Structure formats: C-alpha cells, structure tokens
Amino acid sequence: MENNKPKMPKFNLTWLYFIIAIILGFLVINSGGQGLNGGSSKEATYSQFKNYVEQGYASRILVKKEEGILRMYVKAEHIRDIFNTQIEKGKLPYVETAIPSTDKLEDFIQSQQDQGHFDGEITYDNGNSGWTHLFWSFGPLIFIVLMWFFIMSRMGGGGSGGGGPMGIFNVGKSRAKLVEKDRPNKVTFQDVAGQAGAKQEVQEIVEFLKNPKRYTDLGGKIPKGALLVGPPGTGKTLLAKAVAGEADVPFFSMSGSDFVEMFVGVGASRVRDLFRQAKEKSPCIIFIDEIDAVGRARGRNSAMGGNDERESTLNQLLTEMDGFGTNSGVIILAATNRADVLDKALLRAGRFDRQIHVDLPDVNERKEIFQVHLKPLKLDDTVDVDFLSRQTPGFSGADIANVCNEAALIAARNDKKAVSKDDFLSAVDRIIGGLEKKTKVMTAEEKNTIALHEAGHASISWLLQYASPLVKVTIVPRGRALGAAWYLPEERQITTREQMLDEMCATLGGRAAEELITGHISSGAMNDLERVTKQAYGMVAYMGMGEKLPNLCYYNNEEYSFQRPYSESTAQIIDEEVKQMIAAQYERAKTILNEHKEEHAQLAQLLVEREVIFAEDVERIFGPRPWTSRTEEILS
Ligand code: ADP
Ligand code: ZN
C-alpha cells in the first residue's frame, strides 16, 4: 500500500555486467594492438634506430612521450634486414628504443625527412598513455571493490526482505517505510474500532503533535515515546498510523528486527539514519514494531558472549532518544506483546515512559471491528453482526479482518452474489483451525469453563469479608491468562491471617467452581494454585501462622544458601501444614459456592454473554456487600 522507498538507481547484476563490459572494452581499445605482437618487436639502442632510419627502413614512427620511448614500424620489404626470424603474417613488426630527448629526436627526424630517408608519418602519443596508466593502476582496485559490493549486496539483501536490489549501498540506511502526511485515504481513529481506552490515551499524543506550544508554554515536557503493549493483531500498528493520520504528520514505520543484521554496527547506523530522517520531517511519528527484537533486557546471557550487535543497536536507540529535544516534534511509538522482557532502560522516564495497553477485543468491541470490516463486503440479510461477534471469542482485530476477507473469498468460490452467514461460519472454522496455536482462540466450551472459573473467583471475593473487592472480571484472554479478575486491593500496611485466608479462598474459588459445576478440573487454574501455594508456605514458614509452628520464622535471606534453616522433621511439618491450610480453604470455597449456586450460575452466564462484567453487575446479583471496605472508611 505505501511503498515509498527512496528512488535510488537500482544496483543489480545487469549493472555489474555492464560495468565489466565497459572495463573490458576500454582495455581492448587502449591496448591498440600494442601488447599483442609479441614476437614481432625488438629492442634497439638509439644509434641503431638512427641507423635504421638512415637506411630508409622506417614506415611510421610513434613517439610515446610519457614513457620516453619511441616505436619505429618497419617497412615490409626491410623486415628481413632487422629481424632474422620468421614474422607472423598480419602483424606489424617494430623496433622500440629509448629517446634521449624529444628535441634531438625531432631534429634528427627533420633531417631524415629532408634527406628523403623517411617519408612516413610521425605521431606523438601523450594523453592517452596517461589514461591507460591510470587505468592499470586503479582498474583492479575498482574491480575488487565492485566485486565486494556485489557479494555483500547478495548477503545483505537476502535476510530481511526488501533489501534486495538496493543492497549494500544502503546497508547502514534505515529501512523505514515512510507514509507522507498528505496521502489520500489516510488512517484515522474511525478506522480503529473498539480500543476506547487506548484511543483515549493516544489522543493526547495527537494533541502534542498538533499543538505542542500549548504544553511547552507551560513548561511541560512532551513525552518522547509511548509503548503499545498487546498481543499481535490487536491493531497497534493501526493505532499508531491513526495517530499520524489524526495529527496529519508523516509516519515512519520499521520493525525492530529490521535493525538487526549480520553486520556489526549496521543496527546502530540504521537507528541514527532513522532519527536523522525523522528530524528532517518533524513533526512526525516513528513507529517501531516488535521493539523486543532490539529492546530485550541486556546482559541476560552475556556469559555466552551476549548479542553485542543488538546491544549496540539498543544503546544507539537510547542515545538518540535522549539526544533529541523534547520539543523536536518527533514522537516514537513502539509495539510489543511483552513489555516485561524489555530492558528497563527503555522504560525509564523520558523514553518509553507511557505504556498503552491494547488488548484483545471483547464481544462489543468485536462487533465494532466487524462493522468496520463488513463495510466493503456485499452481504445478504442472513448476516447478523451480533451473532458473528458472539461466535468469535478470543479473535483479534486482525483475525476478524481475516474472517471477513475469507468469507468473501468462500462466497466467491461458490459463485454467490452476496456473502451470507454460512460463509462467515466456514471462515471462522477455517481461522480457528489455522490459528488455534498462534492466538488464544477459544471454543464455546472453553469459554464456558473460563466463565465458570472467573465467576467462582468473583462470587467468593464478593462474599468474603476480607477478600479484596472486585472491580471487573473478564474472560477475554490477556497475555498468558485466559481470563482475569481485577480487584481493588486495600492499601494495608499489615495483613492479618483472616485476610490472607480469605484471599486464598477467593483465589481457589476458580478451580472449586470448575470442579463443583462441571466435575472436571482444568489446567486454567495453574497460576492460582501457584500463588496460593507460595502464599501458604510464606504464612507457615515465614510469618509464623502455622498451627503447629506458631511464631517461628524460617526466613533465610542468604541468596545462595542451599541449606534450609530447619530440620528435616520441621520441613515435613511445614509441608503438612501447607497442605492442610490449602485443603481447608478449598473446601470452604466449595461450600460457599454450593450455598450460592444460583447466583454463581447467573454470574457465569452474564460473563459468557458480555465477556466483561463490573462490580455493579455482581452487586445486582448478590446484593450489596454488608461490609464497607477499609478504603471507603478512610475516604468517608
Ligand atoms: P498489530 O500491530 O497489533 O499486530 P495491526 O495493527 O497490524 O496489529 O492489525 C492488523 C490488521 O487487523 C489491521 O490492518 C486491521 O485491518 C485489523 N485490525 C486490528 N485491530 C483492529 C481494530 N481495532 N479495528 C479495526 N481493524 C483492526
Ligand atoms: Zn483463576
């Protein structure tokens, strides 16, 4: 779509051959037959030469001033007088000799002409031999350099696509794609469906770009970068483009992996080049996709020699970000699906200090995305957007775009006049089949299980006095979690045993609900169990909260000590206590859920329908909590 590569003369094989051909041609013309008549020439002294001319042997004389020699071509009838050997036919035999001085030579020839001994022509050759000379000294060098370019361009071009013909001449240049500001059909926020939160956050960046003075006049510093964090296909690139479109500024886009090449120093010089270009076009946006390719935390495996090239690229990026002023009008947006692997230096203030989360869409957002991508399609009236968005849990925006396109292709294959519901269903099946492993696409049954699980957490945390009050629950997969519940943890300085046990019970509520309702337990609870187990060990071994081990802390803060500060029998008691504690809370969770089966089922059902529910919804089902939270107490 936007293929705005700089217009460079293409360097490819044809050019190389062309250059070689010219060189060869040049060679042949310049040699003028000089070097080719091996056996038919002879060296002579100057007096011998004079002698030959006086005898009238010379047919033509060529004076090479630069080299200080002259060449006397011999008349055919006198060849035998000079050369005793047989002369090859078709070759002009000659005698060469050093010239004492040009003046003397001219005098001599003049006299010979006057006397009638020499009537041939005399030519002076000065310029040409200079060129030949030059050529011979630099020709091979040029040739080697050309060869080198050629080889390097083949090596460099292969890897990261698009390099191809431009090859080595651009190795250090950034490969950023530039979208100019005034292009037609630019992307705006209208093209980004859903993502209300993310859009709101980037809205501010648009303001910075459009009207920087408003902020700088008050002494504010405009942020240099923001990080878009979210799974692939959720529209991070789209959002960044929309920012550029809304602010009406040019947009440079590049992938993190484009910086890193096999040549040392290339990444760093590409970063430099990118920022130089961007500054020329300022105000503008630089978008770096997959920034983790360069931005991974440094020195993780430096024992293995590390990845110096990547590190130097990252360092250059940091330097450039620090180097340009806050009011230079360049804002860098970077995308990643894992902010946690990034180097801390990248996330520091003044660099990518804002993180904008771009999550997988929920059912309503999916509807909006469908509406965007259904627009260009010809649909019949069987197609129902609500139905489609309910059928596609876990799909990203890119998946939905893909479904729409695929449906149109399927309809076309069946010679239909319009795309119908069945085509969409086949497309969904195809995408699920093809993508299952790549993204977190769910089947209806999985969705159900996850809803039960999350509803279990939500119910128990609502019903227990000390569990953190819930803010929202979703079954939209996020990062590595399949569903999530947000709580508003109270800001406590100390935590009591009751509070910890209530939290533990709520955390176990997910699995308890699964077991109670479906009779099966699933792998979805692994994170919960891990948290609970750690917490229980902490309570028993460090906080002295075990029944059989009261008031004992076995905390050991020596990092690499392999010795436990307690005996084998204590270890057994700890394990035993932990098991009992968790088992008791699990039973408690099941009991509570059993007592509130109805409400739990309602909550789960609501989750399946809406995918996101908030505290109000839980309150509507369970009624208000009888306890005011501590936060509320402090505030009131
Ligand atoms: P990412 O950069 O997060 O991997 P992209 O921005 O490249 O994802 O999205 C790929 C395509 O998916 C977009 O070009 C667009 O067609 C579609 N898409 C993704 N998210 C949305 C959205 N929120 N609204 C509309 N289309 C979307
Ligand atoms: Zn859970």
Side-chain angles (χ1 to χ4, degrees):
M1 187 163 81
E2 60 292 310
N3 206 353
N4 293 8
K5 274 184 191 145
K7 297 268 181 299
M8 291 283 291
K10 290 199 167 177
F11 178 79
N12 56 25
L13 263 184
T14 332
W15 272 89
L16 187 75
Y17 290 149
F18 190 61
I19 292 169
I20 292 177
I22 290 181
I23 293 170
L24 287 178
F26 194 60
L27 258 174
V28 171
I29 291 164
N30 269 278
S31 65
Q34 289 166 13
L36 298 174
N37 0 355
S40 53
S41 65
K42 186 176 165 178
E43 297 256 317
T45 63
Y46 189 62
S47 45
Q48 269 177 325
F49 158 75
K50 272 171 46 178
N51 190 20
Y52 292 149
V53 178
E54 278 160 6
Q55 305 274 340
Y57 293 171
S59 71
R60 191 159 72 83
I61 293 174
L62 173 71
V63 183
K64 299 183 180 183
K65 271 192 187 160
E66 292 273 310
E67 294 160 65
I69 55 173
L70 67 76
R71 179 179 292 183
M72 182 196 89
Y73 289 94
V74 184
K75 281 185 180 158
E77 61 268 33
H78 294 293
I79 290 173
R80 296 204 163 242
D81 298 320
I82 297 174
F83 301 94
N84 335 359
T85 50
Q86 204 55 36
I87 297 296
E88 278 180 62
K89 269 203 183 139
K91 300 214 166 171
L92 285 176
Y94 60 82
V95 172
E96 274 191 344
T97 185
I99 312 166
S101 91
T102 331
D103 289 346
K104 261 193 182 171
L105 178 71
E106 276 169 3
D107 289 347
F108 170 70
I109 289 182
Q110 192 60 50
S111 69
Q112 292 305 307
Q113 281 173 333
D114 292 346
Q115 290 170 33
H117 295 148
F118 175 62
D119 52 7
E121 56 182 296
I122 171 160
T123 36
Y124 294 90
D125 170 10
N126 29 23
N128 208 357
S129 73
W131 277 107
T132 322
H133 193 70
L134 260 183
F135 177 78
W136 278 112
S137 10
F138 291 106
L141 191 71
I142 294 172
F143 184 72
I144 288 169
V145 170
L146 282 175
M147 271 320 269
W148 182 76
F149 271 156
F150 171 65
I151 291 167
M152 295 298 256
S153 73
R154 302 221 95 187
M155 282 160 63
S160 48
M166 307 211 307
I168 192 76
F169 293 129
N170 289 326
V171 139
K173 296 272 167 60
S174 80
R175 296 209 170 144
K177 278 192 285 178
L178 171 63
V179 181
E180 290 288 357
K181 60 178 191 174
D182 290 321
R183 71 197 184 95
N185 59 26
K186 63 181 179 193
V187 181
T188 64
F189 282 152
Q190 289 202 329
D191 301 295
V192 189
Q195 304 297 2
K199 269 201 259 183
Q200 199 181 343
E201 289 195 59
V202 293
Q203 178 66 45
E204 200 176 14
I205 294 176
V206 175
E207 293 300 319
F208 290 147
L209 287 165
K210 263 186 172 166
N211 201 352
K213 259 180 77 69
R214 199 166 91 203
Y215 299 87
T216 50
D217 280 355
L218 294 178
K221 277 195 191 131
I222 288 177
K224 291 174 185 173
L227 200 60
L228 299 167
V229 188
T234 44
K236 297 182 291 295
T237 313
L238 196 65
L239 203 60
K241 273 187 196 161
V243 171
E246 290 282 333
D248 209 15
V249 297
F251 176 81
F252 287 91
S253 81
M254 195 162 170
S255 171
S257 52
D258 287 347
F259 287 116
V260 187
E261 279 264 2
M262 57 187 293
F263 307 117
V264 176
V266 167
S269 90
R270 283 192 180 153
V271 172
R272 255 188 314 255
D273 188 58
L274 176 63
F275 278 80
R276 187 185 52 70
Q277 285 184 35
K279 273 179 239 175
E280 280 167 14
K281 293 259 179 195
S282 129
C284 70
I285 287 203
I286 298 179
F287 176 68
I288 305 175
D289 205 358
E290 299 170 44
I291 190 154
D292 31 317
V294 272
R296 249 164 219 284
R298 283 167 293 189
R300 282 252 169 104
N301 46 2
S302 51
M304 308 292 292
N307 190 337
D308 290 344
E309 175 56 9
R310 209 193 59 220
E311 281 186 19
S312 69
T313 308
L314 174 58
N315 284 335
Q316 188 63 39
L317 185 64
L318 296 174
T319 315
E320 290 289 343
M321 285 192 80
D322 292 342
F324 71 86
T326 42
N327 42 12
S328 67
V330 182
I331 291 188
I332 309 157
L333 296 175
T336 176
N337 51 2
R338 298 197 56 198
D340 53 322
V341 298
L342 292 183
D343 200 282
K344 292 287 166 288
L346 263 179
L347 306 176
R348 266 214 297 276
R351 292 166 186 163
F352 294 106
D353 47 2
R354 299 175 169 229
Q355 289 193 16
I356 298 170
H357 287 268
V358 185
D359 285 313
L360 286 175
D362 65 26
V363 64
N364 290 319
E365 292 175 312
R366 288 202 300 274
K367 188 174 157 188
E368 289 178 40
I369 299 174
F370 262 115
Q371 274 158 349
V372 169
H373 291 284
L374 288 178
K375 229 176 266 165
L377 303 187
K378 260 200 203 125
L379 307 171
D380 65 15
D381 43 342
T382 54
V383 179
D384 171 14
V385 188
D386 286 307
F387 173 77
L388 287 179
S389 29
R390 261 181 279 119
Q391 288 299 308
T392 47
F395 276 51
S396 68
D399 295 337
I400 292 175
N402 207 354
V403 166
C404 294
N405 190 48
E406 195 70 35
L409 295 184
I410 292 171
R413 206 171 298 144
N414 299 331
D415 288 330
K416 288 196 191 167
K417 290 270 179 295
V419 193
S420 68
K421 182 174 157 186
D422 297 339
D423 303 319
F424 280 98
L425 289 180
S426 324
V428 169
D429 287 347
R430 170 165 301 181
I431 306 272
I432 290 184
L435 289 185
E436 203 142 39
K437 299 211 176 53
K438 269 198 342 216
T439 50
K440 297 248 164 52
V441 171
M442 288 184 274
T443 64
E445 198 188 332
E446 281 170 337
K447 190 173 167 179
N448 220 12
T449 309
I450 297 169
L452 284 174
H453 177 109
E454 296 301 332
H457 289 309
S459 307
I460 294 187
S461 65
W462 193 260
L463 293 167
L464 291 180
Q465 178 170 7
Y466 298 112
S468 303
L470 176 108
V471 176
K472 79 172 184 186
V473 195
T474 127
I475 55 168
V476 177
R478 254 152 243 267
R480 274 190 260 161
L482 292 175
W486 275 264
Y487 301 95
L488 185 67
E490 297 189 13
E491 291 181 35
R492 304 176 185 128
Q493 306 302 320
I494 50 170
T495 317
T496 63
R497 186 163 184 270
E498 289 72 35
Q499 286 162 347
M500 286 186 214
L501 290 178
D502 279 6
E503 289 292 348
M504 197 178 282
C505 183
T507 312
L508 287 166
R511 166 155 285 192
E514 283 178 46
E515 196 198 328
L516 212 61
I517 314 287
T518 66
H520 305 288
I521 52 176
S522 75
S523 59
M526 193 178 114
N527 273 332
D528 297 340
L529 299 185
E530 188 189 336
R531 263 182 35 219
V532 164
T533 311
K534 275 202 186 123
Q535 173 81 344
Y537 268 103
M539 287 170 73
V540 173
Y542 301 156
M543 292 173 232
M545 291 180 180
E547 263 156 38
K548 294 194 199 105
L549 297 167
N551 308 333
L552 284 167
C553 174
Y554 295 112
Y555 186 67
N556 181 0
N557 62 2
E558 282 169 50
E559 218 175 309
Y560 295 108
S561 139
F562 294 102
Q563 265 184 335
R564 294 200 224 103
Y566 42 81
S567 69
E568 197 55 46
S569 60
T570 309
Q572 276 179 10
I573 300 177
I574 293 178
D575 291 343
E576 210 41 56
E577 286 262 332
V578 165
K579 259 186 237 163
Q580 274 174 17
M581 183 183 280
I582 294 178
Q585 292 309 319
Y586 188 66
E587 280 311 312
R588 189 173 164 216
K590 281 209 290 193
T591 317
I592 295 173
L593 286 175
N594 235 338
E595 284 166 11
H596 296 86
K597 235 181 183 151
E598 268 304 301
E599 294 97 320
H600 174 253
Q602 276 182 42
L603 200 60
Q605 186 53 37
L606 197 63
L607 259 177
V608 171
E609 278 164 27
R610 299 237 304 262
E611 296 187 4
V612 190
I613 55 177
F614 298 89
E616 299 89 79
D617 304 306
V618 187
E619 185 164 348
R620 224 177 331 105
I621 293 174
F622 284 94
R625 289 179 101 197
W627 318 279
T628 47
S629 74
R630 188 166 166 268
T631 319
E632 284 164 28
E633 267 167 38
I634 293 173
L635 287 177
S636 62

